Amino acid sequence: MADVHEWPHLSVVVTDNQTAGRGRLDRIWVAPAGTALAISVLLRELPAPDLRGWIPLAAGVAMADAVAAQLPEHDVSVKWPNDVLVDGRKICGILAEAAADAVIVGTGVNTAMPASALPVSTATSFAVLGSEADADRLIADYLRALDGLLRALAASGDAVSSGLHAAVTARCSTLGLAVRVSLPGERMLEGVARALDADGRLLVDENGIAYPVSAGDVVHVRPAAV
């Protein structure tokens, strides 16, 4: 087996059994065997450093598109910055981490997980939605879309001209909602998520002032008043 440091761009590790998964803020999650897909993708052909904040957003769009292809009767969206939702419930989480000259993008997709095994009431799965996930197709569609989005971003040097900004905006269900954001340092921001800026940050309008949010836990509170 080749040394991991020699693995090429788009190398993938997949498992359907997760006993010590690690999410944002070092949260631990588990998935009984056969109920979910944990997918780790190694990215070596990267956009410029100042564009790499778009990588998890690109992964979200790519996975949302892959999920939507198999659940055409449902509303599939991206909750900024790292969740894929189906009908407002979480089916997939995403975490991107830098590793030397590469980025590893990890995703966990609830496939055959029954309602009784879901970690929270706001989660869902293909099984709960009455569908059987085609894992091979899901992975292939996800990788193809992710590679295409990142190649376009690297080639253009700009998320707007590459089309990634528009793609994320179109899929992002956070936009237009009242949100509560837990920021680093225990600060809380409450307002309406208005847009994404050119760096992929969420612009939250609090009392008429737009605050750019680059990291934090986001809760969808309710639809914003018109």
Side-chain angles (χ1 to χ4, degrees), residues 4-133:
V4 66
H5 298 291
E6 299 175 358
W7 289 10
H9 177 65
L10 287 184
S11 292
V12 181
V13 175
V14 180
T15 180
D16 67 354
N17 181 23
Q18 186 63 263
T19 59
R22 183 168 61 86
R24 291 186 68 251
L25 305 177
D26 289 329
R27 293 170 179 145
I28 301 299
W29 59 277
V30 299
T35 64
L37 285 177
I39 308 165
S40 293
V41 183
L42 178 66
L43 302 174
R44 293 199 184 278
E45 298 175 13
L46 299 170
D50 63 332
L51 295 172
R52 292 178 190 174
W54 282 98
I55 291 176
L57 295 170
V61 168
M63 183 57 78
D65 288 350
V67 169
Q70 297 193 38
L71 296 172
E73 302 303 316
H74 296 270
D75 177 33
V76 182
S77 66
V78 174
K79 175 177 175 279
W80 189 95
N82 62 342
D83 292 337
V84 176
L85 310 182
V86 178
D87 299 334
R89 296 179 180 274
K90 181 176 176 178
I91 200 169
C92 171
I94 296 165
L95 180 68
E97 291 189 304
D101 60 346
V103 171
I104 299 170
V105 180
T107 64
V109 187
N110 298 331
T111 51
M113 191 173 290
S116 60
L118 292 172
V120 292
S121 61
T122 53
T124 192
S125 70
F126 278 85
V128 168
L129 295 167
S131 180
E132 181 176 353

Side-chain angles (χ1 to χ4, degrees), residues 92-186:
C92 171
I94 296 165
L95 180 68
E97 291 189 304
D101 60 346
V103 171
I104 299 170
V105 180
T107 64
V109 187
N110 298 331
T111 51
M113 191 173 290
S116 60
L118 292 172
V120 292
S121 61
T122 53
T124 192
S125 70
F126 278 85
V128 168
L129 295 167
S131 180
E132 181 176 353
D134 182 334
D136 290 342
R137 178 188 174 194
L138 187 76
I139 295 167
D141 287 350
Y142 167 60
L143 292 176
R144 188 179 304 110
L146 177 60
D147 188 43
L149 289 168
L150 294 181
R151 285 184 184 278
L153 179 63
S156 70
D158 178 80
V160 174
S161 60
S162 75
L164 180 55
H165 186 280
V168 176
T169 297
R171 277 287 186 196
C172 187
S173 56
T174 304
L175 301 181
L177 298 185
V179 297
R180 183 168 57 249
V181 187
S182 300
L183 300 171
E186 300 185 355

